[in-house]
């Protein structure tokens, strides 16, 4: 570690492990049982508590608090963890709590995510890769978000909800049920609107892929079928387009029921 990258006004516990090229700004506090991977930049006035492991080449902006104990009343100070992967951008005022022993015991953030200002991620949540959480989005505990999902500003997600890959929530959505992969929702309570067509175009999905997923969406939402009935037809459609299997998997993983 290059000591010149550590502002002398930062407070770093002797047991904290900082990799090569880590930069720490003034008045940041890094506690014991914290490990930070190489090339990560931490701005001023950040608080990081352990046990927390942060990967490589992350960018953490001022006034964020990472690894704090959850306010969940069942939590009694057990040694739970926060794990953050590589190449994430964590903007101003983000709060991420450690896990609880009642669930996985770890809050997990994957790679290449953008958490914008004042996002909150509750205990035991799992975020995949390439997700975007826009300003003031808030996750209760035990939430799971799959890769490439986007939560617009002020989205609220109830505990134990699952949000599928490439899903999208509109501004101010209140999510109380699971969102299947590829589905766009809006409103409070959130309701399904369509496939996330624009997001899929930006990620290189072909016209044929989008047409197949749009047809699958209509099967699921427009024909009055039960989930089991829709799954039978979707399995047949998946033989012709592999992306539909991702939708099927998200439906089978649902535990709270899906948004309608």
């Amino acid at each position: 570690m290059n000591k010149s990258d550590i502002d002398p006004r930062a407070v770093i516990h002797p047991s904290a492990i900082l990799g090569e090229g880590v930069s720490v700004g003034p008045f940041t506090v890094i506690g014991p049982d914290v490990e930070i991977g190489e090339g990560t930049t931490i701005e001023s006035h950040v608080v990081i508590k352990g046990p927390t492991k942060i990967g490589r080449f992350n960018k953490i902006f001022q006034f964020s608090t990472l690894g704090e104990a959850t306010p969940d009343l069942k939590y009694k100070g057990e040694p739970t963890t926060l794990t953050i992967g590589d190449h994430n951008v964590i903007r101003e005022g983000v709060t991420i709590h450690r896990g609880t022993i009642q669930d996985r015991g770890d809050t997990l953030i994957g790679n290449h995510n953008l958490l914008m200002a004042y996002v909150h991620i509750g205990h035991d949540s799992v975020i995949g890769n390439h997700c975007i959480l826009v300003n003031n989005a808030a996750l209760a505990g035990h939430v799971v978000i799959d890769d490439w999902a986007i939560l617009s500003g002020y989205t609220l997600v109830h505990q134990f909800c699952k949000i599928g890959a490439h899903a999208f929530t509109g501004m101010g959505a209140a999510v109380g049920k699971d969102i299947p992969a590829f589905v766009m929702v809006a409103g409070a309570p959130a309701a399904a609107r369509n496939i996330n067509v624009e997001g899929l175009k930006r990620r290189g999905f072909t016209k044929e892929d989008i047409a197949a997923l749009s047809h699958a969406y209509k099967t699921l939402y427009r024909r009055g079928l039960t989930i089991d009935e829709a799954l039978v037809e979707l399995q047949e459609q998946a033989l012709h387009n592999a992306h539909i299997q991702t939708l099927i998997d998200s439906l089978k993983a649902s535990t709270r029921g899906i948004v309608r």
Side-chain angles (χ1 to χ4, degrees):
M1 179 177 65
N2 185 348
K3 296 296 186 181
S4 65
D5 292 332
I6 310 301
D7 191 282
R9 293 164 292 180
V11 178
I12 302 175
H13 193 274
S15 71
I17 300 172
L18 276 60
E20 287 293 327
V22 170
S23 173
V24 181
F27 308 111
T28 281
V29 178
I30 299 175
D33 300 315
V34 173
E35 182 177 345
I36 301 172
E38 66 174 304
T40 289
T41 299
I42 304 167
E43 298 290 355
S44 68
H45 298 88
V46 174
V47 176
I48 304 176
K49 295 187 176 183
T52 289
K53 183 175 182 179
I54 299 173
R56 302 161 62 243
F57 302 108
N58 295 284
K59 175 76 171 176
I60 303 168
F61 283 78
Q62 55 269 22
F63 303 110
S64 291
T65 299
L66 311 180
E68 183 57 270
T70 172
D72 187 328
L73 295 176
K74 299 187 296 297
Y75 180 73
K76 304 301 180 185
E78 298 90 353
T80 57
T81 58
L82 166 65
T83 304
I84 297 175
D86 304 330
H87 297 281
N88 296 288
V89 176
I90 300 173
R91 296 292 312 198
E92 303 87 339
V94 169
T95 54
I96 308 177
H97 290 163
R98 300 194 312 275
T100 63
I101 62 169
Q102 286 77 24
D103 192 357
R104 49 183 284 111
D106 179 59
T107 302
L108 176 62
I109 314 296
N111 307 314
H112 298 281
N113 297 294
L114 170 57
L115 310 180
M116 296 175 68
Y118 310 113
V119 161
H120 172 70
I121 298 175
H123 62 91
D124 302 290
S125 292
V126 177
I127 296 179
N129 306 310
H130 301 283
C131 296
I132 299 174
L133 277 62
V134 181
N135 300 40
N136 292 99
L139 312 183
H142 317 284
V143 170
V144 176
I145 301 180
D146 287 336
D147 297 351
W148 297 102
I150 297 177
L151 275 58
S152 293
Y154 292 90
T155 293
L156 304 177
V157 184
H158 196 278
Q159 60 185 357
F160 295 104
C161 283
K162 296 182 177 66
I163 297 176
H166 300 279
F168 181 93
T169 70
M171 179 182 66
V175 180
K177 293 184 178 295
D178 298 334
I179 303 176
F182 307 107
V183 170
M184 178 173 63
V185 307
R193 304 299 192 196
N194 203 343
I195 288 294
N196 180 18
V197 173
E198 191 59 37
L200 298 181
K201 288 180 181 177
R202 292 176 180 176
R203 289 170 211 135
F205 281 66
T206 67
K207 290 181 180 180
E208 292 76 17
D209 290 335
I210 293 172
L213 288 167
S214 294
H215 181 62
Y217 176 87
K218 292 174 183 176
T219 300
L220 180 61
Y221 281 102
R222 299 285 175 81
R223 292 178 48 197
L225 303 176
T226 67
I227 296 295
D228 288 340
E229 290 169 340
L231 280 170
V232 172
E233 296 203 21
L234 291 173
Q235 291 285 5
E236 176 64 27
Q237 294 173 28
L239 298 175
H240 306 286
N241 190 287
H243 294 299
I244 295 174
Q245 188 61 49
T246 301
L247 173 61
I248 292 169
D249 292 343
S250 71
L251 293 171
K252 290 182 175 180
S254 175
T255 56
R256 291 184 58 85
I258 65 170
V259 294
R260 286 294 192 175

